Every structure is written in structure tokens, then in C-alpha cells.
């Protein structure tokens, strides 16, 4: 029987049997504006992750990310292209999960103001970060998608 390394929200590894994995899909938004990146900072570890959510049954990813950003930042974002699709192996609520994660480029509508809801995620705080200050080891997940989003918006950073 093969086993899989699953990571919890603190970045700790949990070993799980491959045939015991539950499956879910998730969608995240890569939001870069004014040379800053909107990320969620985990309160316990200060590790970063892109804003987004695990999808419920019958949720459409593009609608789910728009709805999430309405709750997080009081905007309905413009959606750009799908930047990355990856499998994540996560340990959530005492269970091993294989999550198909989709990362979309998102941007603010021209006339909308942003108001960050710091209570939406109980274990994470939305934070604007200078992308040049980020390193891979500061991320819980999503680093590849962030670099893809930054490169797409600013080809000189490739």
C-alpha cells in the first residue's frame, strides 16, 4: 500500500494511505495590484496562501471565486485566465484530502473600492505583500501560481 504526505495548515506533514484520500476541488485567486499581492497569512505560522475556498457540490469555480472575493474584499473581481491547476495533498479536520486546486488571475473592477474583511477566515488574515519580498518557504501552498500571476502581469519579472 502506498502512502502520501499531506500538509496541514501549520505546514506539518501527516502520512496517509493513498486509498484513504478524500477528494475535493478548490479555487483560488491571484490578485496583484499596484505591485502588491493579496495573500492570506495563517495566524499560527505566518505562512501565506492565496485567497480562495474548497468548492461545495455543484459549485462552479469561477462563480465561487467571485463570491469569495465579494465576501473578502467587497468587490466582484474581473477574472483573468486560469494560471495553474495542481493537486494538493492536505490534512484538514483530521482527514487526508487530495484537492484539485485551480488558480485564476483576478483583478479589481475599475471603479470598485476594496474593503478587506479580516473576519472572513478565522485562522488567516488578508494581507498586501510586496511580491519581491516573498520566498517559497513562506508559503503553505500556491507559490507556483503566485509566480505565474506575477509573471503574467509583469513579464520583466520572469
Amino acid at each position: 500500500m502506498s502512502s502520501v504526505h499531506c500538509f496541514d495548515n501549520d505546514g506539518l506533514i501527516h502520512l496517509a494511505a493513498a486509498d484513504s484520500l478524500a477528494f475535493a476541488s478548490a479555487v483560488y485567486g491571484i490578485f496583484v495590484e499596484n505591485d502588491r499581492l493579496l495573500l492570506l497569512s495563517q495566524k499560527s505560522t505566518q505562512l501565506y496562501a492565496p485567497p480562495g475556498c474548497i468548492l461545495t457540490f455543484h459549485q462552479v469555480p469561477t462563480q465561487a471565486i467571485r463570491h469569495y472575493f465579494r465576501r473578502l474584499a467587497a468587490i466582484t473581481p474581473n477574472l483573468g485566465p486560469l494560471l495553474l491547476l495542481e493537486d494538493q495533498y492536505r490534512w484538514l479536520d483530521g482527514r487526508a484530502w487530495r484537492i484539485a486546486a485551480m488558480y485564476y488571475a483576478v483583478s479589481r473592477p475599475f471603479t470598485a473600492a476594496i474593503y478587506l474583511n479580516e473576519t472572513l477566515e478565522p485562522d488567516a488574515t488578508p494581507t498586501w505583500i510586496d511580491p519581491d519580498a516573498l520566498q517559497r518557504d513562506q508559503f503553505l501552498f500556491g507559490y507556483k501560481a503566485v509566480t505565474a500571476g506575477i509573471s503574467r502581469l509583469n513579464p520583466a519579472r520572469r
Side-chain angles (χ1 to χ4, degrees):
M1 179 186 308
S2 63
S3 58
V4 176
H5 291 95
C6 298
F7 295 88
D8 65 19
N9 285 340
D10 293 327
L12 301 175
I13 297 173
H14 299 263
L15 201 56
D19 61 359
S20 71
L21 294 171
F23 179 78
S25 297
V27 63
Y28 301 98
I30 306 301
F31 188 4
V32 179
E33 183 174 271
N34 298 326
D35 291 324
R36 298 179 307 156
L37 175 67
L38 182 62
L39 294 173
L40 297 178
S41 175
Q42 301 296 313
K43 290 181 181 176
S44 61
T45 62
Q46 302 304 304
L47 293 173
Y48 296 113
C53 58
I54 292 177
L55 300 175
T56 59
F57 192 63
H58 289 303
Q59 245 183 332
V60 176
T62 54
Q63 291 173 346
I65 197 63
R66 284 186 177 112
H67 179 71
Y68 184 88
F69 269 85
R70 273 195 300 272
R71 293 184 343 217
L72 177 69
I75 63 167
T76 301
N78 296 321
L79 286 185
L82 179 65
L83 297 169
L84 182 71
L85 178 62
E86 72 176 357
D87 279 338
Q88 299 174 352
Y89 294 91
R90 307 276 309 279
W91 186 265
L92 302 169
D93 299 324
R95 188 166 184 195
W97 290 85
R98 177 180 169 215
I99 299 173
M102 296 164 270
Y103 298 88
Y104 283 90
V106 298
S107 61
R108 178 172 60 96
F110 181 68
T111 60
I114 295 174
Y115 303 98
L116 294 179
N117 178 357
E118 296 189 5
T119 62
L120 178 63
E121 296 285 347
D123 299 328
T125 304
T127 309
W128 289 102
I129 303 292
D130 176 358
D132 292 331
L134 292 172
Q135 301 294 320
R136 169 64 190 102
D137 62 353
Q138 294 174 286
F139 279 79
L140 182 60
F141 61 86
Y143 182 74
K144 285 183 193 178
V146 165
T147 57
I150 291 168
S151 294
R152 181 186 168 277
L153 293 172
N154 187 352
R157 287 190 175 184
R158 287 184 187 166

